[in-house]
Amino acid sequence: MYKYLPFLIICLISDGTAKINFRAKEKEVLDKILGPGHYDARIRPSGINGTDGPAIVRVNIFVRSISKIDDVTMEYSVQFTFREQWLDERLKFNDFGGRLKYLTLTEAKKVWMPDLFFSNEKEGHFHNIIMPNVYIRIYPYGSVLYSIRISLTLSCPMNLKLYPLDQQICSLRMASYGWTTDDLVFLWKEGDPVQVVKNLHLPRFTLEKFLTDYCNSKTNTGEYSCLKVDLLFKREFSYYLIQIYIPCCMLVIVSWVSFWLDQGAVPARVSLGVTTLLTMATQTSGINSSLPPVSYTKAIDVWTGVCLTFVFGALLEFALVNYASRTDKQKKAAKAYKRQLEFARNNATFSKHMSRQCEIHLQMSQENCCRTWLSKFPTRSKRIDVISRITFPLVFAMFNLAYWSAYLFREEEDET
């Protein structure tokens, strides 16, 4: 019987070990490492290898969504999961042979926390539905992981000279508020410090790429550690092509219909010119209302300004045509009166005068073909309309060539 006693003892010991409540052990460990006599959350952790150097905090973020990019207020809204990780040797504990992988807390006040803030933040909030979206994990070797979900509205200074063919760089800046680099240093986590959700969608922009960097700042009170993420957004041009550029082109082309109307159709030509001019002015006003007032000229200002000039030029062309038409009538009446006087002269003098006019006419046709072609149209007002039918589209086409070549080429330079 006694030979089975050691076996029974081993079975009892193993059976007792299997019934250990490790959740209760978590409470014991937390009470021990966070007890008032053992841990003080007001004191920062020591440096690497227990030295007096600065505490190293590694940061990474996961961008969940970007809801808007506002050109008027020059800001953007982003929601992301923010994570910090550092080593606090005061929080080491026994993991019971790997049974306790980590301890979880939901109250940040119980441990020391880096005093990080977002320097370009305008407003923000945490998420508390259904429970606060935050946790703190303490690992057996003293590592602390802090994770929280945040929504922020951040300032984004924009350069709109190439609008709407522009690209904008919006930054997310994180810095220490009170601890200098002698006590606290922020570093990006190795690997992928910034991650972006795969199905990220923006209504008018595309996230081209993002870059991480450091932005330490020096003030009168010392040097402070700073991290930043530069998000490069490219504006989607298709929306502006449909909403702005094509309608403006159509208005300019419609204003040219006036050149093909009869010179005597004064009400039709005036109403057409005034209507297109007012519509173009309204279009320009609507575009400017959706943009901030800036001191420089934007690409869209060049486009709308030139289109407005073409529409206004078509209206002025009719004024010139109307003036030339009245002048032509006066000249026609004067020629009729002069012709009556010429008929009173003798036939020989009249024949000689006509032959000289014919010789001059033939000589001019040899020198200038364009003038010969224009001479087919009897009045100056008609000639002005004919010239405008060719000149206006040709100049507008040349402007389009210069405009798109200049701004698209500048856009490619900015990308490189």
Side-chain angles (χ1 to χ4, degrees):
M1 178 179 179
Y2 292 100
K3 63 180 181 180
Y4 297 107
L5 185 60
F7 177 74
L8 293 174
I9 293 173
I10 293 174
C11 291
L12 290 173
I13 293 174
S14 60
D15 185 58
T17 305
K19 293 182 179 179
I20 293 178
N21 187 351
F22 286 100
R23 303 289 76 79
K25 289 295 182 181
E26 286 186 17
K27 180 180 181 304
E28 293 178 7
V29 172
L30 287 172
D31 292 340
K32 180 180 178 181
I33 64 177
L34 297 177
H38 182 270
Y39 188 85
D40 190 347
R42 299 172 299 177
I43 307 302
R44 71 168 179 86
S46 57
I48 300 175
N49 298 325
T51 61
D52 291 333
I56 305 298
V57 178
R58 298 191 179 275
V59 176
N60 72 304
I61 61 176
F62 176 71
V63 179
R64 295 181 175 272
S65 65
I66 300 176
S67 58
K68 70 171 183 177
I69 302 176
D70 197 328
D71 297 318
V72 178
T73 56
M74 293 194 178
E75 63 185 21
Y76 72 104
S77 298
V78 59
Q79 181 190 129
F80 59 92
T81 299
F82 174 75
R83 304 185 188 98
E84 294 177 308
Q85 192 165 12
W86 66 93
L87 182 64
D88 194 341
E89 296 182 353
R90 298 172 295 175
L91 299 177
K92 290 182 178 180
F93 63 89
N94 181 14
D95 62 353
F96 296 94
R99 294 295 186 93
L100 293 181
K101 295 183 179 180
Y102 53 80
L103 304 173
T104 302
L105 300 177
T106 56
E107 296 182 16
K109 295 181 179 180
K110 291 186 176 182
V111 297
W112 176 86
M113 293 292 299
D115 61 342
L116 181 141
F117 77 103
F118 299 94
S119 58
N120 60 332
E121 172 210 356
K122 286 188 174 182
E123 60 182 18
H125 66 273
F126 301 132
H127 294 264
N128 297 315
I129 300 174
I130 299 176
M131 295 293 291
N133 298 172
V134 58
Y135 68 79
I136 299 175
R137 290 178 181 175
I138 304 175
Y139 293 89
Y141 53 91
S143 177
V144 181
L145 173 63
Y146 174 70
S147 178
I148 187 170
R149 189 159 70 101
I150 310 174
S151 289
L152 296 176
T153 299
L154 304 163
S155 65
C156 178
M158 299 181 182
N159 186 349
L160 300 174
K161 289 183 178 180
L162 298 180
Y163 176 91
L165 301 167
D166 58 333
Q167 295 179 341
Q168 300 298 335
I169 298 178
C170 296
S171 299
L172 172 62
R173 294 174 176 267
M174 301 160 282
S176 172
Y177 190 80
W179 297 100
T180 63
T181 52
D182 296 331
D183 296 309
L184 178 62
V185 173
F186 290 111
L187 297 176
W188 285 113
K189 182 182 178 181
E190 297 178 358
D192 292 329
V194 178
Q195 297 174 317
V196 181
V197 66
K198 292 182 179 179
N199 57 347
L200 180 66
H201 175 70
L202 295 172
R204 297 186 185 180
F205 288 87
T206 301
L207 179 60
E208 292 286 304
K209 61 181 178 180
F210 51 86
L211 302 172
T212 58
D213 202 355
Y214 297 90
C215 53
N216 291 5
S217 60
K218 291 184 179 180
T219 65
N220 294 333
T221 56
E223 182 179 358
Y224 297 89
S225 183
C226 175
L227 303 176
K228 73 171 181 176
V229 186
D230 289 334
L231 305 172
L232 178 61
F233 296 102
K234 183 177 181 180
R235 198 181 300 272
E236 289 289 347
F237 180 68
S238 57
Y239 169 82
Y240 301 93
L241 179 64
I242 297 172
Q243 296 294 326
I244 296 177
Y245 284 92
I246 292 179
C248 288
C249 278
M250 294 174 64
L251 285 173
V252 172
I253 294 173
V254 167
S255 69
W256 298 341
V257 175
S258 173
F259 306 151
W260 298 86
L261 297 179
D262 186 73
Q263 305 164 11
V266 176
R269 297 187 69 162
V270 170
S271 59
L272 180 63
V274 172
T275 302
T276 53
L277 182 62
L278 293 177
T279 306
M280 191 66 220
T282 304
Q283 179 87 346
T284 304
S285 178
I287 294 170
N288 292 331
S289 64
S290 62
L291 293 173
V294 293
S295 59
Y296 47 82
T297 302
K298 304 179 288 292
I300 195 66
D301 294 334
V302 176
W303 175 264
T304 55
V306 172
C307 290
L308 189 63
T309 303
F310 270 93
V311 173
F312 183 67
L315 185 61
L316 290 183
E317 189 270 351
F318 171 67
L320 182 61
V321 167
N322 186 267
Y323 173 78
S325 178
R326 288 186 283 108
T327 305
D328 289 338
K329 291 180 180 179
Q330 294 174 0
K331 287 185 176 181
K332 187 177 181 180
K335 285 183 179 180
Y337 177 73
K338 185 177 180 181
R339 191 176 294 111
Q340 291 178 0
L341 295 179
E342 288 177 349
F343 276 119
R345 298 178 182 176
N346 54 47
N347 294 333
T349 306
F350 178 77
S351 300
K352 183 178 180 181
H353 177 71
M354 290 298 292
S355 63
R356 186 170 62 252
Q357 282 190 346
C358 183
E359 290 175 1
I360 296 174
H361 175 71
L362 292 174
Q363 185 177 1
M364 290 177 62
S365 63
Q366 294 176 358
E367 292 179 356
N368 196 330
C369 297
C370 293
R371 185 171 297 180
T372 304
W373 176 71
L374 288 175
S375 64
K376 297 179 181 179
F377 305 100
T379 60
R380 287 192 305 166
S381 57
K382 188 63 177 179
R383 294 172 189 171
I384 294 174
D385 272 341
V386 171
I387 293 173
S388 299
R389 294 172 190 174
I390 301 173
T391 305
F392 273 72
L394 183 61
V395 175
F396 190 67
M398 293 174 61
F399 161 72
N400 272 269
L401 181 62
Y403 180 87
W404 296 113
S405 299
Y407 283 103
L408 290 177
F409 181 72
R410 290 180 61 181
E411 182 185 7
E412 293 177 357
E413 284 185 346
D414 292 342
E415 290 179 0
T416 56

